[in-house]
Structure formats: C-alpha cells, structure tokens
Amino acid sequence: MSIHLFKTAKKLVTGINASEKLVEYIQQLNMTRVLILTDKGVLNSPAVNKIEKNLIENSISYSIYSDITPEPEIEVVLKTKKFFDHDNFDGIVAIGGGSVIDTAKCVAIFGNTSEPLENLFGENKVKEKGLPLIVLPTTAGTGSEVTNISILSDTKNQVKKGIVSDYLLPDVAIVAPELTVSCPPSITAASGIDALVHAIEAFISVNASPITDALAIQAMTLIMKSLPVAYASPENMNAREDLANGSLMAGLAFGNAGVGAVHALAYPLGGRFHMAHGVSNALLLPYVMEFNKIACLDKFKIIAQCFEEPIEGCNSIQIADKVIKRLHILCEMVNIPAGLESFGISKDVIPELAAEAIKVERLLRNNPRKLNLKEIEQIYEAAY
C-alpha cells in the first residue's frame, strides 16, 4: 500500500479551438504586459497569427521573443532572460514545443528570484513561484505543459540537466489540436513516439499508481491509433485531437509516476550528439523494453491490448515479444532512423555514454529492473 501525490498545471483547457481561450486566461491572471516565447518555426504559423490578432483586438500589451532553439541550451535561457530583463513583464505565454515551454518555465522563475540559473539544477532548488505562466504546446509529445521539470543542454559538459520543482508547473495549460497542424511530419513522428515512451515508462514505473495507470493506458491507446494517421495526413483533425489528448495524458502519467531507463539512456545522446529527444527515445525504446520485460510481464499484456495486438494462445514472453516487435514497426512506419550507427556515432563511445547514463539516478530509480554499467552498455550495443 502506498500514498501517491498527483501534480499538474493549475488549469487544463483542451479541445479544438481551445487556443481562443488564451485572452480570457491572460485577463484572469491579471497579466498587463505579456512576454510571448516561441520559436522561428512557429512564429509565422496561421495559429499564432490568429492568437496575435486576438491579443491586439483585446488591447493586450505583448512582446514576442522567438530565438529559442530545439533541445535548448543553458545559453538560450540566459539570452531569453536578458530580453525579459529589458521590460516590465508581469506574465509569460509559451507557444511552442517542449523546448519553448521548458525555456519559459525557467524564465518565469526569474520573475521572483535573483538566484543564478546554475544553482537551480537538481530537485527542489527553486524556492518560490515565479511569474504567471500560460503554455500552449504546438507539438503532441513532450508533456512539458503539465510537468514540473525543465530540461536544458549543458554544452560545456555535453550533458542534459534538469530543474525539478513544483514551482515550474504552469498556471494554465491550453492543449489545442489546431496548434499542431503545421507541425512537420518528422516532428510529429518524433514527438508522438516521445509521448508513447512517456506513457509506457509511466505505466511500468515502480511509482505507478491506479490514477497514472489509467492515464497511461488511455494515452497508449490513443497514440498508437492516431500517430500514423497524423503523420500521413497532417490535416486530419480527429487524429490530431486524439494525439494531443494522448500526449497530454502521457504527460500527466509520467509527471507523477516518472520515466525510466529509456530517458536515462537518451540524455547522453542529446547532450553529446544533439540528437532530438524524441528520436533518441524512439531509438532506444524497443531495446530497453527487451531488457525490462522479465520484470513486468503482466504489464506487457495490458500494453498489447492497448496496441490491439492479437495475443490469444500466447504465453507472457510471446506477448512481450509481440509488443516489442510492434514498437519496431511503428518507428519504421513514421521513419524514425534505426540504430545509433545511422547517426554516425562510433561504437567506441558506448562506454562513455553508459558512464553518463548511469549517473541519471533520478530516472533509473523509477525503472522496473535495475541496471548496472555493463547492462547499459549492452543496451546501447543492441541499439547500434
């Protein structure tokens, strides 16, 4: 018997055209001078143009900063903070993928602290709430809109670092499927697989609860059904809505149950080789699940049902193998590159990657099966 705590954004707003509610929540939070954070790819999209029009019509004062790059580096946050410091902003709106939202979480903190950014890495180092924060994800994948963590790249040490604090949870998360329509197919694929990893890892986490299980199960069901359709037919709003809801549910699940070895092993790939987070997760997922299967065979049966995989007459090992095969097939369907070798990564660096991955104890402790250094090396080798 365990006691579980469930954390998320203060308000969740979902559904097609939910982005039209932004002005209402800006006014509710008494924002009078708003900093909008986004990236160059999203800046001139029809959805953002419509949001700007609504802000102007409602006399909302705002400035836009869009120099945020994928897999944001510590330097990106510091540059964004400089822009933030030049004006008297009293609220932040993030419109973008996980990189934009993670950056916005950090910048919001600086509204109420002068603590250097490097002092905030780790768990519970942020001491108070920052500025009001509204987030609108434009990808269906990261779940950052409902989690209490911001992940940044430390280019000096070639690793990824996390700031973990409940003060990072947004005040409002608006999950509007129409914002994801302009997302390129490659990003739809990578972020969609990322969301599936969140759901699976939350489901098999040692910290899973009945509530996170329910969310993870529905997330896996929705994502498996909708991702190939959204990838092949970007304008299909039914698929976009299912994928957005699946991603949100996966975010709620892993934001409370945690993720495990897939993410821990993915971090060094992003930190050292700047591999997109969703891609590195997708590449490692089947191989980590192969390692994990004997520790959670009962969970694989439920995952197979979410995948609508026929399992009649199969024993538990055969069911797990069917799930793992299906994961390989899904990655192939959405053109996720197979293997570390396809990224020009040498086998010689595997011991170094493993040495970095085993340090990510914050995530490895959630995994259903404990890993040692040699086992981590073997997973990287299998994924090569």
Side-chain angles (χ1 to χ4, degrees):
M1 300 293 291
S2 301
I3 296 174
H4 299 278
L5 173 66
F6 193 87
K7 299 172 285 189
T8 185
K10 289 183 180 178
K11 289 184 180 179
L12 296 179
V13 187
T14 64
I16 295 173
N17 295 323
S19 59
E20 295 177 4
K21 304 290 284 183
L22 175 59
V23 167
E24 177 183 332
Y25 289 104
I26 285 175
Q27 293 168 339
Q28 282 187 17
L29 290 168
N30 297 314
M31 296 181 180
T32 60
R33 179 73 180 131
V34 179
L35 172 59
I36 296 177
L37 299 182
T38 188
D39 61 48
K40 292 289 194 290
V42 173
L43 181 59
N44 295 314
S45 67
V48 171
N49 291 338
K50 186 177 180 181
I51 286 173
E52 280 198 77
K53 184 173 181 288
N54 288 342
L55 293 175
I56 293 167
E57 289 175 351
N58 287 275
S59 301
I60 304 291
S61 174
Y62 70 94
S63 291
I64 295 179
Y65 183 84
S66 61
D67 289 336
I68 299 174
T69 54
E71 313 298 322
E73 300 166 356
I74 290 172
E75 291 77 14
V76 169
V77 171
L78 295 176
K79 287 178 182 177
T80 309
K81 181 183 181 298
K82 282 186 180 180
F83 185 90
F84 165 82
D85 288 339
H86 288 160
D87 210 329
N88 294 314
F89 297 108
D90 58 9
I92 295 176
V93 172
I95 308 172
S99 298
V100 169
I101 295 173
D102 280 7
T103 301
K105 288 176 178 178
C106 293
V107 176
I109 292 170
F110 293 119
N112 278 334
T113 185
S114 57
E115 194 77 21
L117 181 63
E118 59 265 25
N119 291 355
L120 302 179
F121 288 106
E123 297 182 71
N124 302 315
K125 300 290 181 66
V126 180
K127 300 305 180 185
E128 59 182 316
K129 178 81 170 67
L131 292 182
L133 174 63
I134 301 174
V135 300
L136 298 91
T138 59
T139 62
T142 70
S144 183
E145 69 273 11
V146 289
T147 64
N148 67 343
I149 185 167
S150 176
I151 300 294
L152 303 177
S153 294
D154 180 344
T155 53
K156 181 180 178 181
N157 297 301
Q158 294 188 319
V159 295
K160 289 201 169 187
K161 293 181 176 179
I163 300 174
V164 185
S165 169
D166 291 351
Y167 291 124
L168 268 61
L169 287 164
D171 294 280
V172 182
I174 300 175
V175 180
E178 67 271 12
L179 296 181
T180 69
V181 171
S182 61
C183 192
S186 61
I187 296 178
T188 295
S191 58
I193 296 289
D194 190 21
L196 183 62
V197 175
H198 293 154
I200 292 173
E201 290 213 284
F203 186 56
I204 64 174
S205 168
V206 298
N207 299 311
S209 71
I211 293 173
T212 60
D213 279 353
L215 289 162
I217 287 169
Q218 183 66 1
M220 289 186 285
T221 302
L222 288 173
I223 295 166
M224 283 299 295
K225 179 179 72 172
S226 61
L227 176 55
V229 180
Y231 176 77
S233 304
E235 303 289 333
N236 187 314
M237 286 307 298
N238 288 330
R240 287 292 186 185
E241 184 168 26
D242 282 348
L243 191 55
N245 285 333
S247 171
L248 173 61
M249 291 177 185
L252 291 168
F254 96 83
N256 290 279
V259 288
V262 175
H263 277 73
L265 272 66
Y267 279 4
L269 295 175
R272 180 162 180 169
F273 298 103
H274 309 291
M275 191 183 295
H277 177 65
V279 172
S280 58
N281 272 342
L283 191 152
L284 290 165
L285 176 60
Y287 303 100
V288 174
M289 291 298 283
E290 176 68 36
F291 175 82
N292 280 335
K293 70 181 182 183
I294 62 171
C296 49
L297 287 170
D298 56 328
K299 294 290 185 83
F300 272 85
K301 182 176 181 180
I302 299 173
I303 296 171
Q305 292 167 343
C306 295
F307 291 5
E308 297 184 347
E309 191 70 27
I311 57 174
E312 186 176 352
C314 297
N315 62 37
S316 56
I317 293 292
Q318 290 169 332
I319 291 170
D321 289 342
K322 276 177 168 280
V323 167
I324 293 165
K325 183 177 180 181
R326 184 71 178 277
L327 293 173
H328 281 292
I329 291 170
L330 177 65
C331 290
E332 290 172 5
M333 286 176 66
V334 296
N335 290 311
I336 298 290
L340 297 176
E341 187 177 19
S342 62
F343 291 90
I345 298 172
S346 169
K347 263 194 172 183
D348 294 341
V349 303
I350 286 178
E352 297 169 29
L353 294 173
E356 287 299 324
I358 203 166
K359 296 176 186 176
V360 192
E361 174 58 27
R362 179 179 63 84
L363 304 184
L364 291 176
R365 68 187 181 214
N366 303 327
N367 204 61
R369 187 178 175 193
K370 300 307 176 188
L371 295 95
N372 60 38
L373 189 63
K374 183 62 177 176
E375 289 164 338
I376 292 174
E377 288 184 13
Q378 289 170 346
I379 292 172
Y380 280 128
E381 287 167 2
Y384 191 75

